[in-house]
Amino acid sequence: MLTQLLEEGPNSSPFLPGALSAAEEYAAGVNGRVLPQDVEKVRYVLKNLMRDWSEEGAAERAASYGRIMQEVESIASRQAPGQVPLSILVPGAGLGRLCADLCSMGHHVLGNEFSFYMLLASAYVLNHSARLHQWTVHPWLHSGCNHFTSASQLRGLAIPDVLPEDLTAPGELGMVAGDFVEVFARPEYQAVFDVVATCFFIDTAHNVIDYLETIVAVLKPGGSWVNLGPLLYHWAEPQEGPDEPNIELSLEEIEAVAGRLGLVMQRRDVVKAPFASNRQSMFESTYTCSFWTMTKGPGS
């Protein structure tokens, strides 16, 4: 897959140069073995392909992406003439569907993703989808729990349910790889976005305050932060490797910090939203999510 993407030459994704050599170096470092953590990340990508690019994922997308899109549409409707299309940043872009959907509304969207597994899969789907239902994935194949039938466990899902180029044509889509805080500390990203849209993202931080400070920095004065997701802090459990301090704030504390940083709450709701949930399983994961819009006050 890497080789095919790199053969695109000048049209290849900007994060790919050097990726093939890096992959080969990593494989050599583990003596060609596939480590359990790598297997789990691939399983996670398969489930996210269901969520982002299959017909079965449509209801799940509506519960999260759909709400964000409606809020962005409301924000755009209040803009003065000449201020639309909006410039939108989507941190934690995953496999790119929310970015593509926002592009379909005519906006200029920049996605950001840290996971190389997500970046590789999103680049492949976004750039190599030639027809509907081109590929079949089996996202539940590797889990033996909570299946009513073997057929349910083994079933395949066709992707993509829509051609990415049809979604992105009305707007502009870009992707940048790397750590959100590090990438968007660059001067060229300061106070340039009308909207930051985060979906199941802020709990991926070691220190959520770093995320809040970065969001404030990249927003234009009067810009909006639209957020939907839970607080399932990814680093709350002990991890192997170098120690890094982790800060897990409550929702109340996050809102208080946001206020101190100059963000003003415009709307706040609590909504139910599933994430990568198997609709034919005896167990389905649905989160009670915070859903808010905050605006950057003057002088922030």
Side-chain angles (χ1 to χ4, degrees):
M1 185 185 293
L2 272 173
T3 302
Q4 182 175 358
L5 289 171
L6 288 168
E7 287 174 351
E8 295 176 358
N11 295 322
S12 65
S13 300
F15 61 83
L16 287 174
L20 186 58
S21 60
E24 291 172 346
E25 181 181 352
Y26 176 78
V30 296
N31 297 318
R33 293 179 295 112
V34 179
L35 301 179
Q37 56 264 37
D38 295 318
V39 173
E40 186 55 37
K41 289 174 182 177
V42 171
R43 291 177 179 175
Y44 186 69
V45 169
L46 291 173
K47 293 175 183 177
N48 274 268
L49 284 168
M50 178 282 300
R51 173 177 169 85
D52 271 21
W53 293 106
S54 79
E55 292 175 357
E56 185 168 313
E60 187 168 309
R61 292 193 299 272
S64 51
Y65 300 167
R67 287 183 167 113
I68 291 173
M69 292 170 65
Q70 289 175 3
E71 185 64 9
V72 169
E73 183 176 14
S74 176
I75 292 168
S77 70
R78 300 193 295 270
Q79 301 300 305
Q83 292 184 326
V84 178
L86 300 176
S87 175
I88 304 175
L89 173 63
V90 182
L95 297 182
R97 182 59 180 261
L98 177 57
C99 295
D101 282 342
L102 290 170
C103 275
S104 74
M105 301 166 65
H107 301 301
H108 298 172
V109 183
L110 181 64
N112 165 240
E113 178 56 48
F114 178 76
S115 167
F116 184 70
Y117 297 84
M118 289 290 192
L119 288 165
L120 185 60
S122 65
Y124 197 78
V125 172
L126 290 170
N127 296 312
H128 290 272
S129 295
R131 62 182 186 276
L132 296 180
H133 306 154
Q134 185 171 354
W135 302 287
T136 300
V137 296
H138 300 263
W140 320 116
L141 175 67
H142 303 285
S143 172
C145 299
N146 292 309
H147 295 291
F148 284 106
T149 66
S150 297
S152 173
Q153 178 184 2
L154 300 175
R155 76 187 189 278
L157 301 177
I159 62 167
D161 65 315
V162 62
L163 285 178
E165 63 180 17
D166 291 342
L167 287 178
T168 58
E172 293 182 6
L173 174 61
M175 293 288 286
V176 59
D179 178 81
F180 172 58
V181 174
E182 292 180 4
V183 170
F184 290 94
R186 299 173 187 168
E188 63 266 30
Y189 291 126
Q190 304 307 290
V192 296
F193 294 101
D194 299 298
V195 175
V196 174
T198 53
C199 186
F200 282 79
F201 172 69
I202 62 173
D203 54 3
T204 66
H206 283 283
N207 181 349
V208 69
I209 297 174
D210 289 341
Y211 278 14
L212 297 179
E213 290 175 340
T214 304
I215 289 168
V216 171
V218 301
L219 279 173
K220 296 176 182 178
S224 298
W225 175 25
V226 182
N227 174 72
L228 187 149
L231 294 176
L232 182 65
Y233 289 107
H234 292 206
W235 302 100
E237 298 299 326
Q239 304 285 327
E240 294 183 3
D243 290 335
E244 184 170 349
N246 302 311
I247 297 178
E248 295 98 28
L249 301 183
S250 69
L251 179 60
E252 178 184 49
E253 290 169 326
I254 289 175
E255 293 178 355
V257 172
R260 287 177 177 268
L261 293 173
L263 291 169
V264 180
M265 185 71 73
Q266 300 298 325
R267 60 161 294 172
R268 180 199 297 110
D269 291 306
V270 175
V271 299
K272 299 286 188 180
F275 189 93
S277 184
N278 183 357
R279 295 174 61 189
Q280 296 186 23
S281 173
M282 300 169 71
F283 174 83
E284 296 185 47
S285 55
T286 299
Y287 294 87
T288 300
C289 299
S290 58
F291 177 39
W292 69 59
T293 299
M294 301 184 189
T295 56
K296 179 177 176 178
S300 301

